[in-house]
Amino acid sequence: MDPVRAHHGHREGGRVHFPDLMPLADALPRLLDQIPVLDVEERPLLNAVGQTLAEDVVSTENVPPFPNSGMDGFAVRAVDTPGELRVVADQAAGHVTDVAVSRGTAIRIMTGAALPEGADAVVPVEDTDGSSGGSVRIHSSAAAGANVRQAGEDVRAGQLALPSGSLLSPAAIGLLASIGRPRVRVFRRPVVALLASGDELVGPDEALSPGKIRNSNSFTLEAQIRQAGGIPRNLGVARDNLDDIRRHVDEGLRADLLVTSAGVSVGDYDYMKQVLEERGELRLWRIAIRPGRPVAFGVFQGTPVISLPGNPVSSMVCFELFVRPAIAKMMGQGRLDPPTVEVTVLDRVDNRGGRRSFMRAIVERGENGYSARLTGPQGSGILTSMARANALLDIPAEMDEVSPGDALRAILLDWSALV
Ligand code: AMP
Ligand code: MG
């Protein structure tokens, strides 16, 4: 097939075919297969938020460590209720009285205080006369065990509290603290080098001159790396010449993962591709997605390199599709696919072209589930519609047109690995 036709596809029976384009579902597993899970490090709890546990954590303690009161009230023997009881002591949280509850007596107790010897239930203060002059009237009958938190009812000593592979959410961090684990073994976060390229790029604090545009990819991609849980090493911009790109790429290969943007299409000054090919086998994929398409991948000196397209939205979308799952795998996460929801599309969307499209959308929850509405023009350089989106509407290649009311899936964008 001639290259122009291959590039733009051709119509056959009313449908456009791209025989040389690779479906995302083929490319992604090939890439992820070659991404390593990183080594394990031991970290203080709070430095491990968002990382993945690399050990089975078995508790050596009971949580709670002793039976205690779930309410402010009176520790009693259930058989003595209802009735008038003599208050023989006070038990505050963190303190232990040596007085026991015996027949006809009660101990005033605070939430979290150890259940005194002899008591088997706690009557909340609301179910009493509040006690006056050394005695308390219990209005109703309490069952044995009422309002008592038993030793080990959350975690028993010897129990697996968190399995290896757990994502350390705030709750998981709290659970580890609750069983007396100040440090944990987790998979390391990857250092992700990031390299933009192009003679046209100037920073947001530099003057624009003829022919120059602002570099936005260094910013979007660094922000995405952080959000994905990676440690960004921003290498700035390599200019469109072999020496500058070589220097920057070699620097980038010292990281755990190198992400580059631009310079892998078929333009005359696309030297990125050439430099990467010098370093080993580069797979240049033309993926059947929109936006996106040219994505290159290779492993050089043990470092995976993912080259994203230059257009600002294409690079962001390809980051979500390829780089985010790669970072998740490096960090030992079990789930590599993004969260999706089923949505009812509210707009009419033209998807002719035979490619799977990821369109910028706002997903909202309504009375009948989630709905999706496009956020504006979908050109691959239009960042405003990306900035307004909270999801990517996933339109299958076979679907030439989406009609209002159609059900599709949308990838949610505001998930975060808690950096
Ligand atoms: P290329 O892949 O080099 O052909 O770039 C494709 C398009 O993306 C061109 O319009 C570039 O100017 C643009 N582009 C490349 N890199 C960046 C960047 N870092 N920030 C914003 N736009 C970029
Ligand atoms: Mg370029």
Side-chain angles (χ1 to χ4, degrees), residues 15-299:
R15 172 145 292 153
V16 179
H17 292 269
F18 287 92
D20 61 336
L21 290 192
M22 187 189 286
L24 176 63
D26 293 349
L28 188 57
R30 290 193 205 193
L31 180 147
L32 289 176
D33 264 3
Q34 296 203 52
I35 299 290
V37 177
L38 296 185
D39 41 314
V40 169
E41 60 183 357
E42 193 179 285
R43 308 205 81 189
L45 270 192
L46 281 174
N47 293 347
V49 181
Q51 285 176 269
T52 306
L53 201 56
E55 59 174 327
D56 285 335
V57 175
V58 173
S59 180
T60 56
E61 300 178 356
N62 278 324
V63 183
F66 48 83
N68 67 89
S69 177
M71 302 286 265
D72 291 336
F74 294 87
V76 298
R77 299 179 341 136
V79 292
D80 290 349
T81 60
E84 178 96 13
L85 302 175
R86 197 156 53 84
V87 179
V88 292
D90 265 23
Q91 178 89 305
H95 301 276
V96 182
T97 167
D98 50 15
V99 180
V101 171
S102 56
R103 189 168 167 190
T105 71
I107 287 180
R108 181 181 290 106
I109 192 164
M110 305 303 143
T111 305
L115 193 70
E117 203 66 30
D120 63 358
V122 170
V123 177
V125 69
E126 297 87 334
D127 295 349
T128 72
D129 66 355
S131 148
S132 57
S135 71
V136 62
R137 170 152 292 281
I138 309 288
H139 297 317
S140 50
S141 130
N147 302 306
V148 176
R149 302 189 286 215
Q150 299 300 340
E153 74 171 28
D154 188 358
V155 185
R156 271 168 293 102
Q159 184 188 327
L160 178 63
L162 280 175
S164 179
S166 302
L167 185 67
L168 294 181
S169 64
I173 295 289
L175 177 56
L176 291 166
S178 80
I179 63 171
R181 278 293 301 258
R183 303 175 69 81
V184 274
R185 290 168 63 74
V186 289
F187 295 102
R188 195 162 64 71
R189 290 181 186 277
V191 173
V192 183
L194 164 61
L195 179 59
S197 64
D199 280 349
E200 72 275 37
L201 303 176
V202 300
D205 51 355
E206 293 174 88
L208 277 177
S209 54
K212 306 294 183 189
I213 62 159
R214 303 254 181 230
N215 170 11
S216 57
N217 295 357
S218 289
F219 294 82
T220 50
L221 293 172
E222 174 166 339
Q224 286 178 295
I225 291 167
R226 283 195 213 170
Q227 201 193 39
I231 301 167
R233 181 182 293 163
N234 199 329
L235 304 179
V237 178
R239 297 306 171 190
D240 286 327
N241 64 75
L242 289 172
D243 280 349
D244 204 37
I245 296 177
R246 282 190 189 115
R247 202 167 51 78
H248 282 92
V249 164
D250 287 336
E251 173 70 24
L253 291 179
R254 301 223 292 263
D256 297 308
L257 171 68
L258 169 60
V259 175
T260 71
S261 98
V264 288
S265 46
V266 288
D268 278 350
Y269 299 96
D270 287 340
Y271 295 125
M272 180 68 73
K273 188 172 52 186
Q274 193 179 327
V275 167
L276 292 172
E277 274 167 343
E278 287 168 5
R279 273 147 191 73
E281 189 198 346
L282 184 73
R283 285 148 206 255
L284 193 65
W285 287 326
R286 289 160 35 73
I287 317 280
I289 56 170
R290 181 167 54 192
R293 231 176 8 187
V295 171
F297 175 70
V299 181

